[in-house]
mmCIF file of all heavy atoms in Angstrom:
data_model
loop_
_atom_site.group_PDB
_atom_site.id
_atom_site.type_symbol
_atom_site.label_atom_id
_atom_site.label_comp_id
_atom_site.label_asym_id
_atom_site.label_seq_id
_atom_site.Cartn_x
_atom_site.Cartn_y
_atom_site.Cartn_z
ATOM 1 N N CYS A 857 -82.137 -74.983 60.411
ATOM 2 C CA CYS A 857 -83.078 -74.124 61.112
ATOM 3 C C CYS A 857 -84.330 -73.981 60.267
ATOM 4 O O CYS A 857 -84.374 -74.439 59.118
ATOM 5 C CB CYS A 857 -82.467 -72.759 61.458
ATOM 6 S SG CYS A 857 -82.096 -71.692 60.079
ATOM 7 N N LYS A 858 -85.350 -73.389 60.860
ATOM 8 C CA LYS A 858 -86.616 -73.201 60.140
ATOM 9 C C LYS A 858 -87.185 -71.841 60.507
ATOM 10 O O LYS A 858 -86.882 -71.278 61.557
ATOM 11 C CB LYS A 858 -87.600 -74.311 60.479
ATOM 12 C CG LYS A 858 -87.957 -74.395 61.943
ATOM 13 C CD LYS A 858 -88.841 -75.590 62.227
ATOM 14 C CE LYS A 858 -89.051 -75.696 63.739
ATOM 15 N NZ LYS A 858 -89.781 -76.865 64.115
ATOM 16 N N ARG A 859 -87.998 -71.333 59.582
ATOM 17 C CA ARG A 859 -88.716 -70.084 59.827
ATOM 18 C C ARG A 859 -90.114 -70.435 60.300
ATOM 19 O O ARG A 859 -90.804 -71.227 59.669
ATOM 20 C CB ARG A 859 -88.816 -69.274 58.548
ATOM 21 C CG ARG A 859 -87.544 -68.634 58.102
ATOM 22 C CD ARG A 859 -87.812 -67.781 56.851
ATOM 23 N NE ARG A 859 -86.647 -67.031 56.463
ATOM 24 C CZ ARG A 859 -85.761 -67.445 55.569
ATOM 25 N NH1 ARG A 859 -85.907 -68.610 54.975
ATOM 26 N NH2 ARG A 859 -84.724 -66.692 55.274
ATOM 27 N N GLN A 860 -90.521 -69.839 61.407
ATOM 28 C CA GLN A 860 -91.888 -70.036 61.907
ATOM 29 C C GLN A 860 -92.591 -68.686 61.920
ATOM 30 O O GLN A 860 -92.036 -67.722 62.463
ATOM 31 C CB GLN A 860 -91.880 -70.605 63.323
ATOM 32 C CG GLN A 860 -91.527 -72.061 63.393
ATOM 33 C CD GLN A 860 -91.701 -72.582 64.810
ATOM 34 O OE1 GLN A 860 -91.430 -71.892 65.779
ATOM 35 N NE2 GLN A 860 -92.137 -73.822 64.916
ATOM 36 N N PRO A 861 -93.790 -68.608 61.353
ATOM 37 C CA PRO A 861 -94.510 -67.337 61.388
ATOM 38 C C PRO A 861 -94.775 -66.908 62.827
ATOM 39 O O PRO A 861 -95.066 -67.735 63.690
ATOM 40 C CB PRO A 861 -95.830 -67.650 60.682
ATOM 41 C CG PRO A 861 -95.585 -68.916 59.928
ATOM 42 C CD PRO A 861 -94.514 -69.661 60.654
ATOM 43 N N ASP A 862 -94.652 -65.613 63.054
ATOM 44 C CA ASP A 862 -94.950 -65.049 64.368
ATOM 45 C C ASP A 862 -96.463 -64.865 64.447
ATOM 46 O O ASP A 862 -97.037 -64.153 63.618
ATOM 47 C CB ASP A 862 -94.229 -63.709 64.520
ATOM 48 C CG ASP A 862 -94.371 -63.109 65.899
ATOM 49 O OD1 ASP A 862 -95.429 -63.292 66.528
ATOM 50 O OD2 ASP A 862 -93.415 -62.449 66.336
ATOM 51 N N PRO A 863 -97.119 -65.487 65.405
ATOM 52 C CA PRO A 863 -98.581 -65.390 65.482
ATOM 53 C C PRO A 863 -99.070 -63.957 65.738
ATOM 54 O O PRO A 863 -100.195 -63.613 65.406
ATOM 55 C CB PRO A 863 -98.958 -66.312 66.640
ATOM 56 C CG PRO A 863 -97.712 -66.554 67.392
ATOM 57 C CD PRO A 863 -96.563 -66.312 66.464
ATOM 58 N N ARG A 864 -98.221 -63.095 66.282
ATOM 59 C CA ARG A 864 -98.601 -61.713 66.569
ATOM 60 C C ARG A 864 -98.349 -60.771 65.401
ATOM 61 O O ARG A 864 -98.909 -59.685 65.349
ATOM 62 C CB ARG A 864 -97.857 -61.202 67.807
ATOM 63 C CG ARG A 864 -98.239 -61.957 69.080
ATOM 64 C CD ARG A 864 -97.247 -61.706 70.166
ATOM 65 N NE ARG A 864 -96.005 -62.370 69.732
ATOM 66 C CZ ARG A 864 -94.825 -62.255 70.306
ATOM 67 N NH1 ARG A 864 -94.686 -61.475 71.333
ATOM 68 N NH2 ARG A 864 -93.776 -62.897 69.860
ATOM 69 N N ASP A 865 -97.460 -61.166 64.472
ATOM 70 C CA ASP A 865 -97.108 -60.295 63.352
ATOM 71 C C ASP A 865 -96.805 -61.165 62.139
ATOM 72 O O ASP A 865 -95.744 -61.791 62.070
ATOM 73 C CB ASP A 865 -95.897 -59.440 63.736
ATOM 74 C CG ASP A 865 -95.501 -58.437 62.668
ATOM 75 O OD1 ASP A 865 -96.012 -58.518 61.527
ATOM 76 O OD2 ASP A 865 -94.665 -57.559 62.967
ATOM 77 N N ARG A 866 -97.712 -61.190 61.174
ATOM 78 C CA ARG A 866 -97.561 -62.088 60.016
ATOM 79 C C ARG A 866 -96.362 -61.728 59.139
ATOM 80 O O ARG A 866 -95.920 -62.524 58.337
ATOM 81 C CB ARG A 866 -98.832 -62.071 59.167
ATOM 82 C CG ARG A 866 -100.007 -62.666 59.888
ATOM 83 C CD ARG A 866 -101.239 -62.754 59.052
ATOM 84 N NE ARG A 866 -101.260 -61.786 57.953
ATOM 85 C CZ ARG A 866 -102.212 -61.705 57.060
ATOM 86 N NH1 ARG A 866 -103.223 -62.516 57.109
ATOM 87 N NH2 ARG A 866 -102.160 -60.805 56.099
ATOM 88 N N ARG A 867 -95.841 -60.522 59.289
ATOM 89 C CA ARG A 867 -94.680 -60.111 58.491
ATOM 90 C C ARG A 867 -93.373 -60.613 59.095
ATOM 91 O O ARG A 867 -92.318 -60.530 58.472
ATOM 92 C CB ARG A 867 -94.616 -58.586 58.380
ATOM 93 C CG ARG A 867 -95.811 -57.980 57.666
ATOM 94 C CD ARG A 867 -95.845 -56.499 57.881
ATOM 95 N NE ARG A 867 -96.024 -56.253 59.318
ATOM 96 C CZ ARG A 867 -95.928 -55.083 59.894
ATOM 97 N NH1 ARG A 867 -95.644 -54.019 59.191
ATOM 98 N NH2 ARG A 867 -96.097 -54.938 61.193
ATOM 99 N N ARG A 868 -93.428 -61.102 60.291
ATOM 100 C CA ARG A 868 -92.231 -61.483 61.037
ATOM 101 C C ARG A 868 -92.161 -63.001 61.191
ATOM 102 O O ARG A 868 -93.174 -63.670 61.361
ATOM 103 C CB ARG A 868 -92.291 -60.822 62.409
ATOM 104 C CG ARG A 868 -91.119 -61.085 63.272
ATOM 105 C CD ARG A 868 -91.298 -60.364 64.585
ATOM 106 N NE ARG A 868 -90.579 -61.087 65.603
ATOM 107 C CZ ARG A 868 -90.013 -60.535 66.645
ATOM 108 N NH1 ARG A 868 -90.111 -59.253 66.843
ATOM 109 N NH2 ARG A 868 -89.365 -61.268 67.518
ATOM 110 N N PHE A 869 -90.947 -63.513 61.161
ATOM 111 C CA PHE A 869 -90.709 -64.937 61.369
ATOM 112 C C PHE A 869 -89.752 -65.118 62.535
ATOM 113 O O PHE A 869 -88.824 -64.326 62.715
ATOM 114 C CB PHE A 869 -90.091 -65.590 60.128
ATOM 115 C CG PHE A 869 -91.021 -65.676 58.967
ATOM 116 C CD1 PHE A 869 -91.106 -64.635 58.048
ATOM 117 C CD2 PHE A 869 -91.823 -66.787 58.796
ATOM 118 C CE1 PHE A 869 -91.967 -64.715 56.979
ATOM 119 C CE2 PHE A 869 -92.685 -66.875 57.727
ATOM 120 C CZ PHE A 869 -92.761 -65.835 56.822
ATOM 121 N N SER A 870 -89.964 -66.167 63.301
ATOM 122 C CA SER A 870 -89.007 -66.594 64.314
ATOM 123 C C SER A 870 -88.115 -67.640 63.664
ATOM 124 O O SER A 870 -88.612 -68.524 62.964
ATOM 125 C CB SER A 870 -89.725 -67.215 65.508
ATOM 126 O OG SER A 870 -90.501 -66.252 66.164
ATOM 127 N N ILE A 871 -86.830 -67.532 63.903
ATOM 128 C CA ILE A 871 -85.885 -68.500 63.355
ATOM 129 C C ILE A 871 -85.548 -69.475 64.467
ATOM 130 O O ILE A 871 -85.099 -69.084 65.542
ATOM 131 C CB ILE A 871 -84.608 -67.811 62.825
ATOM 132 C CG1 ILE A 871 -84.965 -66.627 61.907
ATOM 133 C CG2 ILE A 871 -83.710 -68.822 62.134
ATOM 134 C CD1 ILE A 871 -85.837 -66.972 60.725
ATOM 135 N N ARG A 872 -85.779 -70.745 64.194
ATOM 136 C CA ARG A 872 -85.595 -71.782 65.214
ATOM 137 C C ARG A 872 -84.664 -72.871 64.702
ATOM 138 O O ARG A 872 -84.709 -73.246 63.535
ATOM 139 C CB ARG A 872 -86.928 -72.398 65.592
ATOM 140 C CG ARG A 872 -87.898 -71.385 66.147
ATOM 141 C CD ARG A 872 -88.841 -72.037 67.125
ATOM 142 N NE ARG A 872 -89.629 -71.037 67.804
ATOM 143 C CZ ARG A 872 -89.286 -70.442 68.938
ATOM 144 N NH1 ARG A 872 -88.169 -70.765 69.535
ATOM 145 N NH2 ARG A 872 -90.057 -69.539 69.492
ATOM 146 N N LEU A 873 -83.865 -73.383 65.622
ATOM 147 C CA LEU A 873 -83.013 -74.525 65.294
ATOM 148 C C LEU A 873 -83.876 -75.768 65.106
ATOM 149 O O LEU A 873 -84.879 -75.945 65.794
ATOM 150 C CB LEU A 873 -82.025 -74.797 66.424
ATOM 151 C CG LEU A 873 -80.851 -73.854 66.564
ATOM 152 C CD1 LEU A 873 -80.072 -74.177 67.825
ATOM 153 C CD2 LEU A 873 -79.947 -73.917 65.346
ATOM 154 N N THR A 874 -83.433 -76.629 64.208
ATOM 155 C CA THR A 874 -84.044 -77.949 64.068
ATOM 156 C C THR A 874 -83.184 -78.948 64.836
ATOM 157 O O THR A 874 -82.101 -78.603 65.335
ATOM 158 C CB THR A 874 -84.082 -78.363 62.583
ATOM 159 O OG1 THR A 874 -82.727 -78.447 62.112
ATOM 160 C CG2 THR A 874 -84.882 -77.376 61.732
ATOM 161 N N ALA A 875 -83.652 -80.179 64.901
ATOM 162 C CA ALA A 875 -82.839 -81.234 65.530
ATOM 163 C C ALA A 875 -81.512 -81.373 64.793
ATOM 164 O O ALA A 875 -80.457 -81.553 65.420
ATOM 165 C CB ALA A 875 -83.608 -82.553 65.542
ATOM 166 N N ALA A 876 -81.539 -81.258 63.467
ATOM 167 C CA ALA A 876 -80.300 -81.344 62.684
ATOM 168 C C ALA A 876 -79.382 -80.159 63.016
ATOM 169 O O ALA A 876 -78.152 -80.306 63.034
ATOM 170 C CB ALA A 876 -80.616 -81.372 61.196
ATOM 171 N N GLY A 877 -79.979 -78.993 63.276
ATOM 172 C CA GLY A 877 -79.179 -77.824 63.659
ATOM 173 C C GLY A 877 -78.500 -78.025 64.990
ATOM 174 O O GLY A 877 -77.322 -77.691 65.165
ATOM 175 N N ARG A 878 -79.218 -78.620 65.937
ATOM 176 C CA ARG A 878 -78.613 -78.906 67.250
ATOM 177 C C ARG A 878 -77.490 -79.943 67.102
ATOM 178 O O ARG A 878 -76.447 -79.829 67.757
ATOM 179 C CB ARG A 878 -79.674 -79.401 68.224
ATOM 180 C CG ARG A 878 -80.666 -78.344 68.629
ATOM 181 C CD ARG A 878 -81.599 -78.840 69.731
ATOM 182 N NE ARG A 878 -82.941 -78.324 69.723
ATOM 183 C CZ ARG A 878 -83.336 -77.081 69.607
ATOM 184 N NH1 ARG A 878 -82.462 -76.148 69.445
ATOM 185 N NH2 ARG A 878 -84.604 -76.735 69.630
ATOM 186 N N ALA A 879 -77.710 -80.924 66.248
ATOM 187 C CA ALA A 879 -76.673 -81.935 66.005
ATOM 188 C C ALA A 879 -75.448 -81.296 65.345
ATOM 189 O O ALA A 879 -74.307 -81.647 65.666
ATOM 190 C CB ALA A 879 -77.226 -83.058 65.133
ATOM 191 N N LYS A 880 -75.683 -80.341 64.436
ATOM 192 C CA LYS A 880 -74.570 -79.654 63.768
ATOM 193 C C LYS A 880 -73.749 -78.860 64.785
ATOM 194 O O LYS A 880 -72.517 -78.829 64.722
ATOM 195 C CB LYS A 880 -75.100 -78.726 62.669
ATOM 196 C CG LYS A 880 -74.038 -78.044 61.851
ATOM 197 C CD LYS A 880 -73.137 -79.004 61.117
ATOM 198 C CE LYS A 880 -73.830 -79.689 59.972
ATOM 199 N NZ LYS A 880 -72.903 -80.553 59.198
ATOM 200 N N ILE A 881 -74.436 -78.249 65.738
ATOM 201 C CA ILE A 881 -73.726 -77.512 66.790
ATOM 202 C C ILE A 881 -72.823 -78.463 67.569
ATOM 203 O O ILE A 881 -71.666 -78.145 67.866
ATOM 204 C CB ILE A 881 -74.725 -76.783 67.712
ATOM 205 C CG1 ILE A 881 -75.343 -75.611 66.945
ATOM 206 C CG2 ILE A 881 -74.047 -76.307 68.993
ATOM 207 C CD1 ILE A 881 -76.530 -74.969 67.629
ATOM 208 N N GLN A 882 -73.335 -79.648 67.899
ATOM 209 C CA GLN A 882 -72.528 -80.642 68.609
ATOM 210 C C GLN A 882 -71.332 -81.079 67.762
ATOM 211 O O GLN A 882 -70.234 -81.292 68.283
ATOM 212 C CB GLN A 882 -73.385 -81.867 68.977
ATOM 213 C CG GLN A 882 -74.466 -81.569 69.988
ATOM 214 C CD GLN A 882 -73.898 -81.015 71.280
ATOM 215 O OE1 GLN A 882 -72.939 -81.534 71.832
ATOM 216 N NE2 GLN A 882 -74.473 -79.921 71.752
ATOM 217 N N GLU A 883 -71.536 -81.191 66.458
ATOM 218 C CA GLU A 883 -70.466 -81.607 65.548
ATOM 219 C C GLU A 883 -69.388 -80.531 65.422
ATOM 220 O O GLU A 883 -68.188 -80.847 65.385
ATOM 221 C CB GLU A 883 -71.063 -81.898 64.162
ATOM 222 C CG GLU A 883 -70.056 -82.294 63.120
ATOM 223 C CD GLU A 883 -70.665 -82.443 61.729
ATOM 224 O OE1 GLU A 883 -71.875 -82.213 61.547
ATOM 225 O OE2 GLU A 883 -69.902 -82.787 60.806
ATOM 226 N N VAL A 884 -69.793 -79.280 65.375
ATOM 227 C CA VAL A 884 -68.847 -78.185 65.137
ATOM 228 C C VAL A 884 -68.167 -77.711 66.420
ATOM 229 O O VAL A 884 -67.042 -77.202 66.383
ATOM 230 C CB VAL A 884 -69.560 -77.011 64.420
ATOM 231 C CG1 VAL A 884 -68.615 -75.826 64.228
ATOM 232 C CG2 VAL A 884 -70.115 -77.463 63.078
ATOM 233 N N SER A 885 -68.798 -77.896 67.552
ATOM 234 C CA SER A 885 -68.247 -77.384 68.815
ATOM 235 C C SER A 885 -66.801 -77.809 69.076
ATOM 236 O O SER A 885 -65.997 -76.973 69.507
ATOM 237 C CB SER A 885 -69.153 -77.774 69.983
ATOM 238 O OG SER A 885 -70.348 -77.028 69.918
ATOM 239 N N PRO A 886 -66.413 -79.056 68.825
ATOM 240 C CA PRO A 886 -65.001 -79.404 69.050
ATOM 241 C C PRO A 886 -64.046 -78.626 68.139
ATOM 242 O O PRO A 886 -62.937 -78.278 68.548
ATOM 243 C CB PRO A 886 -64.932 -80.904 68.740
ATOM 244 C CG PRO A 886 -66.334 -81.395 68.880
ATOM 245 C CD PRO A 886 -67.217 -80.242 68.498
ATOM 246 N N VAL A 887 -64.477 -78.335 66.918
ATOM 247 C CA VAL A 887 -63.649 -77.537 66.004
ATOM 248 C C VAL A 887 -63.504 -76.124 66.568
ATOM 249 O O VAL A 887 -62.412 -75.550 66.563
ATOM 250 C CB VAL A 887 -64.270 -77.494 64.584
ATOM 251 C CG1 VAL A 887 -63.437 -76.630 63.651
ATOM 252 C CG2 VAL A 887 -64.432 -78.903 64.022
ATOM 253 N N ALA A 888 -64.606 -75.573 67.085
ATOM 254 C CA ALA A 888 -64.578 -74.227 67.672
ATOM 255 C C ALA A 888 -63.651 -74.195 68.885
ATOM 256 O O ALA A 888 -62.863 -73.250 69.045
ATOM 257 C CB ALA A 888 -65.991 -73.804 68.063
ATOM 258 N N ARG A 889 -63.742 -75.213 69.722
ATOM 259 C CA ARG A 889 -62.868 -75.254 70.907
ATOM 260 C C ARG A 889 -61.401 -75.357 70.502
ATOM 261 O O ARG A 889 -60.539 -74.685 71.074
ATOM 262 C CB ARG A 889 -63.274 -76.407 71.822
ATOM 263 C CG ARG A 889 -64.540 -76.120 72.625
ATOM 264 C CD ARG A 889 -64.785 -77.153 73.710
ATOM 265 N NE ARG A 889 -65.015 -78.488 73.198
ATOM 266 C CZ ARG A 889 -66.205 -78.958 72.817
ATOM 267 N NH1 ARG A 889 -67.283 -78.207 72.895
ATOM 268 N NH2 ARG A 889 -66.332 -80.186 72.361
ATOM 269 N N ALA A 890 -61.104 -76.170 69.497
ATOM 270 C CA ALA A 890 -59.724 -76.317 69.026
ATOM 271 C C ALA A 890 -59.207 -74.991 68.453
ATOM 272 O O ALA A 890 -58.053 -74.618 68.689
ATOM 273 C CB ALA A 890 -59.636 -77.424 67.980
ATOM 274 N N PHE A 891 -60.067 -74.303 67.739
ATOM 275 C CA PHE A 891 -59.697 -73.002 67.177
ATOM 276 C C PHE A 891 -59.348 -72.021 68.292
ATOM 277 O O PHE A 891 -58.320 -71.348 68.241
ATOM 278 C CB PHE A 891 -60.856 -72.460 66.325
ATOM 279 C CG PHE A 891 -60.677 -71.027 65.927
ATOM 280 C CD1 PHE A 891 -59.754 -70.660 64.960
ATOM 281 C CD2 PHE A 891 -61.442 -70.033 66.519
ATOM 282 C CE1 PHE A 891 -59.594 -69.330 64.590
ATOM 283 C CE2 PHE A 891 -61.287 -68.704 66.159
ATOM 284 C CZ PHE A 891 -60.364 -68.356 65.191
#
Side-chain angles (χ1 to χ4, degrees):
C857 67
K858 60 185 174 185
R859 287 183 174 94
Q860 285 187 323
D862 185 326
R864 296 164 291 171
D865 183 349
R866 294 184 336 177
R867 297 167 297 171
R868 182 179 152 148
F869 291 89
S870 294
I871 311 303
R872 300 209 171 270
L873 285 173
T874 62
R878 291 187 213 312
K880 184 60 71 176
I881 289 169
Q882 294 302 313
E883 178 186 2
V884 177
S885 289
V887 178
R889 284 191 297 274
F891 169 73

